Amino acid sequence: MTTSRPPTTRERPPRDVRTAAHATGTDAGTGTGSAADTAGLAGFGYPQELHRSLGRYASFAAGFSFISVLTTVFQFFAFGYSFGGPRFFWTWPAVLAGQLLVAACFAELAARYPISGAVYQWSTRLSNAVFGWFAGWIMVLGQIVVVAAAALALQVVLPAVWSGFQVIGTDTSPVSPDGAANAALLGIVLLVLTTAVNLLDNKVMSVVNRVGVTAEIAGAVLIVVLLLTHADRSPSVTVHSGGGGSALLVGSFAAAYVMIGFDSAGEMSEETRDPRRVAPRTILTALAAAGALASLLVLAALLAAPSLSDGRLGTDGLSYVLTSRLGDGLGRVLLCDVALAVAVATLAIQTSATRMLFSMARDRALPLSPALARVSPRTGQPPVPALVVGALAAAVLLIAFASPDAWLAIGTTCIVMLYLAYSMVTGPQLLRRLRAPLPPVTDESGAPAFSLGRWGVPVNAAALLYGLAMTVNLAWPRAAVYDPTGGHWYFRWFTLLFLGSALVLGAAFRAFRRAFPS
């Protein structure tokens, strides 16, 4: 048996309810515990349907596991190195600094709007229903493709652990026909498992997430320490060798792919206890910890690699460094930890996309909204969004069977969509801030909630400029990146074509809803 929010034709709570809750800061700041959290959510016009059972570490794990250092560094190290060489290390702290600006803006909003569907809700409440809807639409499409991209990472790890995981053909490279098809097969199996977990009680999902994140952090730290003990060169190699400026811009793709998803702590706000106090901190700590650990992992790999010039780093990446430096036995054990990180990352990203679908659907902003907005009172999970995200991500994986070369274009497109959706929050936030300072709010303990204060305008402006610049960098139609063999012009323009199609489809749906309101 399931329950859902009563039908309504509006797409968001009335403005007077939203601004009253925002301005007073008292809707969830007068006490602690589930009663105050539920009252705070009611102040935004929503009943408490998701089970509020997550603590601070679970909130941190939601953001960290979406970023998933081991998953994404192992998946994209070879790509970044092949373009930027050893100097591509410096793109990691640079991207981390830019993303911390965005995270600081998001932390401020998480303290004021602790609601599921963070990007959609924040953009709507800072601008208007139409702009916020498109931000949510772009975000959820990007998230679904990111789910598929994360599941593909198993191909980088499992065949290196045991050849039996290469079920299709013999070539394990994910860009070969055999490797791409096998990656799709492994990814679909993983999606079946993560969808099943997302249908269980959210406490089960939280336990899996926390255990996985703990194992990932421990494994990443161990890998860094072990590689540093096998280092053959000094950090100066990152300064004196590598590609030029344009190559580094492409090399930054790897770091840009990694350091996204920290907003997941905000996505889980309706399931987090004391979210105004907890979510802002965990957004920032998840990104800072993941970014620092990823940078150290990249540096350690560069210092310990058997060779920087034999071509292996640009093709086999970190798996090659681990097995060659630490031996097959220990290397494979650590790769098993990476495989666990891939599974947990896929689960976290799917959960985040599920919450976005749920949040938009309960505002009657999507097709089949009544079904998508339904929450099981037994599990505290919205089952239909979990099934939809799992099925659509699996469908995206099938593209690997038809065109292995398309995956870089598709993977970049989903990241561009997330960066664009982020800018659709920081942009309205800056405009709102220029008109008047964001009113102060209190957290559940009565203390002042996280705020940028007098640094708000410069930090917000820098975050917006960084986000737009990275969006352009990722989407730029470089033939050397998206069509290296030639003959596939549409791969170069795939991001713009996909984004344009998504906007047209979204506009058509909204026009249909206006003509035939439900």
Side-chain angles (χ1 to χ4, degrees):
M1 178 178 178
T2 57
T3 61
S4 63
R5 188 182 176 202
T8 175
T9 57
R10 69 177 187 266
E11 291 192 343
R12 55 177 179 162
R15 194 168 187 84
D16 57 343
V17 173
R18 295 185 296 111
T19 53
H22 176 193
T24 62
T26 58
D27 50 303
T30 57
T32 58
S34 59
D37 294 335
T38 300
L41 185 58
F44 292 109
Y46 299 117
Q48 181 72 57
E49 296 181 288
L50 304 174
H51 289 181
R52 195 177 289 276
S53 60
L54 308 184
R56 183 172 180 178
Y57 188 68
S59 178
F60 167 84
F64 190 94
S65 56
F66 193 124
I67 300 171
S68 189
V69 171
L70 291 183
T71 299
T72 43
V73 173
F74 270 81
Q75 193 172 16
F76 295 112
F77 180 95
F79 172 82
Y81 185 85
S82 66
F83 280 93
R87 284 185 183 171
F88 104 108
F89 161 76
W90 294 105
T91 65
W92 291 82
V95 170
L96 174 59
Q99 289 295 70
L100 281 173
L101 295 171
V102 179
C105 294
F106 282 10
E108 195 172 42
L109 295 175
R112 286 157 175 77
Y113 309 116
I115 316 172
S116 287
V119 165
Y120 158 68
Q121 293 284 352
W122 297 341
S123 183
T124 297
R125 295 166 192 278
L126 291 167
S127 57
N128 56 59
V130 175
F131 191 84
W133 186 90
F134 275 102
W137 176 245
I138 290 171
M139 184 70 179
V140 77
L141 290 179
Q143 285 175 324
I144 289 170
V145 182
V146 174
V147 173
L152 278 178
L154 282 181
Q155 180 64 23
V156 183
V157 181
L158 288 184
V161 174
W162 177 49
S163 60
F165 284 115
Q166 185 66 33
V167 180
I168 300 175
T170 57
D171 192 340
T172 62
S173 172
V175 296
S176 68
D178 286 353
N182 197 70
L185 177 62
L186 295 176
I188 290 171
V189 172
L190 176 57
L191 285 172
V192 171
L193 296 176
T194 57
T195 301
V197 174
N198 262 308
L199 294 174
L200 299 174
D201 190 285
N202 71 344
K203 291 182 180 179
V204 176
M205 178 271 295
S206 176
V207 168
V208 173
N209 221 12
R210 283 178 288 163
V211 170
V213 165
T214 302
E216 179 175 5
I217 293 174
V221 171
L222 181 59
I223 290 172
V224 169
V225 171
L226 290 175
L227 289 182
L228 289 178
T229 61
H230 290 76
D232 285 339
R233 55 189 68 87
S234 72
S236 63
V237 70
T238 63
V239 177
H240 301 299
S241 59
S246 60
L248 287 178
L249 286 176
V250 178
S252 70
F253 284 22
Y257 290 169
V258 171
M259 284 179 260
I260 56 170
F262 45 85
D263 53 298
S264 292
E267 290 277 10
M268 304 299 290
S269 287
E270 289 183 31
E271 295 155 88
T272 303
R273 295 186 294 270
D274 300 339
R276 289 181 186 266
R277 179 172 58 87
V278 170
R281 299 179 184 180
T282 53
I283 286 174
L284 290 168
T285 55
L287 175 61
L293 195 52
S295 300
L296 287 173
L297 189 57
V298 170
L299 178 62
L302 292 173
L303 301 187
S307 172
L308 299 179
S309 59
D310 64 358
R312 295 289 300 275
L313 277 182
T315 56
D316 301 328
L318 277 183
S319 297
Y320 153 67
V321 179
L322 249 65
T323 54
S324 60
R325 278 303 192 191
L326 306 181
D328 282 345
L330 180 57
R332 288 179 180 180
V333 170
L334 293 173
L335 287 175
C336 288
D337 187 60
V338 176
L340 175 61
V342 172
V344 173
T346 305
L347 172 64
I349 301 167
Q350 184 178 6
T351 301
S352 186
T354 295
R355 298 306 183 266
M356 180 66 75
L357 278 180
F358 162 73
S359 184
M360 296 183 71
R362 67 179 172 185
D363 284 352
R364 299 300 186 261
L366 292 174
L368 305 176
S369 285
L372 290 169
R374 194 171 297 123
V375 176
S376 167
R378 180 179 62 83
T379 65
Q381 301 270 55
V384 177
L387 293 170
V388 168
V389 173
L392 290 178
V396 173
L397 281 174
L398 295 178
I399 297 175
F401 283 104
S403 179
D405 294 336
W407 264 109
L408 181 58
I410 294 172
T412 302
T413 296
C414 68
I415 304 303
V416 168
M417 295 183 78
L418 265 62
Y419 272 82
L420 181 58
Y422 287 176
S423 297
M424 293 177 76
V425 173
T426 55
Q429 185 180 11
L430 179 60
L431 293 176
R432 172 74 68 85
R433 197 189 301 275
L434 290 173
R435 289 197 297 266
L438 293 178
V441 296
T442 56
D443 64 23
E444 292 79 8
S445 68
F450 179 87
S451 175
L452 292 172
R454 66 177 182 273
W455 291 98
V457 171
V459 169
N460 201 158
L464 176 60
L465 290 174
Y466 161 78
L468 293 176
M470 186 59 75
T471 299
V472 172
N473 179 38
L474 290 166
W476 198 261
R478 299 175 175 91
V481 177
Y482 299 118
D483 189 21
T485 60
H488 300 90
W489 65 268
Y490 42 86
F491 286 164
R492 293 176 58 186
W493 299 95
F494 187 87
T495 295
L496 295 179
L497 292 172
F498 187 89
L499 181 58
S501 300
L503 293 175
V504 169
L505 182 61
F509 167 71
R510 292 188 61 82
F512 177 83
R513 285 294 301 270
R514 285 195 300 269
F516 303 98
S518 56

